[in-house]
Amino acid sequence: MFSMHDEIFEFLVELHKSDKSFLFVPRRTNYRSRLYKGFWFLGNDDYLKVSFWNGIDPKEKFHNIGFVVTANGSSYIEISAEDDEEKADFLYMLVERLGDFEKDGKKNAWHRHYQGRDYMANLKDFLKNEKPVIDAMIKEHKPKGITLPDKGVTTQDIERVVRLKKIQK
């Protein structure tokens, strides 16, 4: 998983360097020393979840909207709002717009799996096709608890991880 965190982080940092308006949300806290261990995104030994938006589902303990990569290289979009019906209504509208999502049982959660195990190709596809739609819907509907990242705060978070990576090397 560490190499996946590194590869994805470096790819996203390069996009951010070439376009300062391109933001992503790295791990912000050092829970269980995971940040210091090289888990640059939310997750554990089995998966990582990178998000490009602020908004947490506290019941599930991860981002409302994110791109997930598993240890075996499979990837999927995960959308969840177990904590708030208003957020869930927006996210339902979002998955309807994006299409091809499966509902996770009775939860206010949905997944869309990518084919194959080339998570970097899938991430690039996600950034090209789904992220712009999600950004536009957030801007248009301004859902409670889900926002585009704050440029100042998010840039500081990215720079903190860059510094940690240098220290670790």
Side-chain angles (χ1 to χ4, degrees):
M1 286 307 304
F2 296 117
S3 63
M4 292 174 168
H5 279 268
D6 271 342
E7 183 179 14
I8 292 170
F9 185 81
E10 290 301 324
F11 171 71
L12 297 176
V13 164
E14 289 305 312
L15 291 177
H16 175 69
K17 285 179 183 175
S18 65
D19 177 2
K20 293 296 183 191
S21 69
F22 175 81
L23 299 171
F24 61 97
V25 181
R27 181 182 290 274
R28 290 185 169 142
T29 64
N30 194 30
Y31 179 69
R32 294 188 178 172
S33 297
R34 287 189 176 140
L35 191 56
Y36 292 157
K37 291 176 183 175
F39 289 93
W40 309 132
F41 304 101
L42 293 183
N44 56 33
D45 292 330
D46 300 318
Y47 76 97
L48 68 83
K49 185 172 187 178
V50 59
S51 186
F52 302 87
W53 307 275
N54 291 326
I56 297 286
D57 182 341
K59 288 189 176 183
E60 298 294 329
K61 298 181 181 162
F62 51 64
H63 297 286
N64 292 113
I65 307 168
F67 182 85
V68 178
V69 177
T70 66
N72 71 7
S74 64
S75 54
Y76 57 95
I77 304 168
E78 183 170 56
I79 296 178
S80 174
E82 281 296 292
D83 64 316
D84 185 283
E85 200 62 40
E86 189 176 331
K87 269 200 271 187
D89 290 344
F90 169 75
L91 293 176
Y92 178 73
M93 184 173 49
L94 178 64
V95 299
E96 287 290 303
R97 172 83 185 271
L98 294 172
D100 297 325
F101 277 79
E102 297 173 22
K103 186 158 175 44
D104 185 0
K106 293 183 179 182
K107 293 183 175 185
N108 288 323
W110 302 266
H111 302 87
R112 186 205 295 160
H113 293 266
Y114 284 88
Q115 296 293 323
R117 300 198 190 287
D118 187 347
Y119 60 90
M120 289 304 295
N122 294 338
L123 175 60
K124 291 172 187 175
D125 181 77
F126 171 79
L127 293 173
K128 178 181 176 187
N129 295 304
E130 283 75 26
K131 183 182 179 305
V133 173
I134 297 167
D135 287 350
M137 287 192 68
I138 290 172
K139 286 177 188 174
E140 178 184 347
H141 295 279
K142 298 174 182 42
K144 175 184 142 192
I146 302 173
T147 63
L148 298 173
D150 174 85
K151 186 176 182 178
V153 172
T154 304
T155 299
Q156 288 175 357
D157 292 337
I158 293 168
E159 290 170 355
R160 182 179 69 243
V161 172
V162 169
R163 286 191 305 274
L164 279 171
K165 284 175 60 66
K166 286 180 183 176
I167 290 169
Q168 288 180 350
K169 288 183 180 181

